[in-house]
Amino acid sequence: MKQHYPFPLLPLPYAYDGLIPELSKEILFLHHDKHLKTYVDNLNKILAGYPKLQSLTLEELLMGLDTLPREIQIGIQNNGGGVYNHNLYFACMSPEKNQSPQGELLNAINRDIGSYEEFVKKFTDTALGQFGSGYAWLVSKNGKLQILNMPNQNTPISKSIKPILNLDVWEHAYYLQYQNRRNEYVENWFHLVNWNYVNQLYLESCRG
Ligand code: MN
């Protein structure tokens, strides 16, 4: 994720039908090729007018929101966050289903959250408790895990907290298949979590 302007639409890391039956082909196509593409395009449109910001990575832009020209702060927060959050969301799912956390990450879950079962319960409550659009997040503060939610396309890296897993609970993420049943979407999403990748992100967060 060391890219800078113009930001690319990263390809979906698996086939559009790779997450059936938990997520339909139609949902993944629209979510990636339409919703994420719009965030990428809008982010690049904003930055086109600010050559001095074009060498910054997405992380640098989002971590330094307060230092950006006032007139683009909200646009970068929404569209830069939209790109960052979706790239993480898609990378944190895998067609290799029913993985579970291992090794140091599992130790940290047991230490900071209680157990994997407790993690599932708390993460579910957090995802269902997000009023309106937003995400549930698993974050690492120098190796210490915490679950939180944030509205819209806000992202923990703007608060210098390293996210290692997120769950998009905007209606566009599930409505075509689950209608108003966010709870079923969340329940099924746990089958898809790419714990191998989350584990890598966790280890990186411990190295600082
Ligand atoms: Mn989304």
Side-chain angles (χ1 to χ4, degrees):
M1 296 218 188
K2 288 292 165 225
Q3 278 129 352
H4 53 80
Y5 175 89
F7 289 98
L9 175 64
L10 296 182
L12 191 69
Y14 29 78
Y16 294 106
D17 60 1
L19 304 181
I20 291 174
E22 287 86 354
L23 286 177
S24 71
K25 199 172 165 176
E26 292 73 23
I27 285 189
L28 275 187
F29 174 76
L30 288 167
H31 202 174
H32 179 272
D33 284 39
K34 303 295 177 186
H35 289 278
L36 173 53
K37 183 172 189 300
T38 300
Y39 289 118
V40 172
D41 290 346
N42 287 338
L43 175 61
N44 286 331
K45 258 181 235 166
I46 294 170
L47 290 170
Y50 295 84
K52 284 185 184 158
L53 303 178
Q54 292 175 359
S55 60
L56 298 180
T57 65
L58 198 45
E59 286 86 345
E60 287 167 341
L61 286 165
L62 290 167
M63 287 192 308
L65 282 178
D66 296 347
T67 66
L68 300 177
R70 193 172 292 274
E71 69 276 12
I72 62 168
Q73 286 181 5
I74 295 289
I76 298 287
Q77 178 172 15
N78 290 339
N79 294 290
V83 175
Y84 183 88
N85 297 348
H86 282 98
N87 286 342
L88 181 67
Y89 170 73
F90 289 124
C92 282
M93 297 189 288
S94 168
E96 277 181 55
K97 295 185 188 174
N98 300 309
Q99 299 180 25
S100 51
Q102 308 285 340
E104 293 198 36
L105 176 58
L106 181 60
N107 292 339
I109 287 174
N110 290 336
R111 182 192 65 213
D112 299 333
I113 297 172
S115 63
Y116 175 71
E117 290 67 31
E118 194 64 17
F119 163 78
V120 171
K121 188 179 173 304
K122 284 186 183 161
F123 202 83
T124 300
D125 290 347
T126 301
L128 299 182
Q130 171 57 45
F131 182 76
S133 297
Y135 292 75
W137 297 89
L138 179 64
V139 301
S140 169
K141 285 184 186 171
N142 303 315
K144 187 168 167 35
L145 296 177
Q146 198 184 327
I147 293 169
L148 48 92
N149 55 356
M150 296 180 88
N152 305 315
Q153 296 296 352
N154 295 8
T155 186
I157 61 169
S158 296
K159 300 180 173 190
S160 298
I161 304 171
K162 176 75 179 167
I164 61 171
L165 174 66
N166 67 2
L167 170 54
D168 187 343
V169 294
W170 283 59
E171 285 187 343
H172 67 228
Y174 61 91
Y175 206 86
L176 264 183
Q177 188 175 348
Y178 293 94
Q179 291 81 44
N180 61 325
R181 302 183 307 280
R182 187 189 283 189
N183 58 325
E184 278 180 37
Y185 160 65
V186 171
E187 195 180 330
N188 286 340
W189 168 83
F190 283 101
H191 306 166
L192 303 175
V193 176
N194 186 352
W195 285 109
N196 286 330
Y197 182 64
V198 181
N199 195 47
Q200 277 177 41
L201 294 181
Y202 177 68
L203 294 177
E204 281 169 25
S205 79
C206 295
R207 289 196 291 268

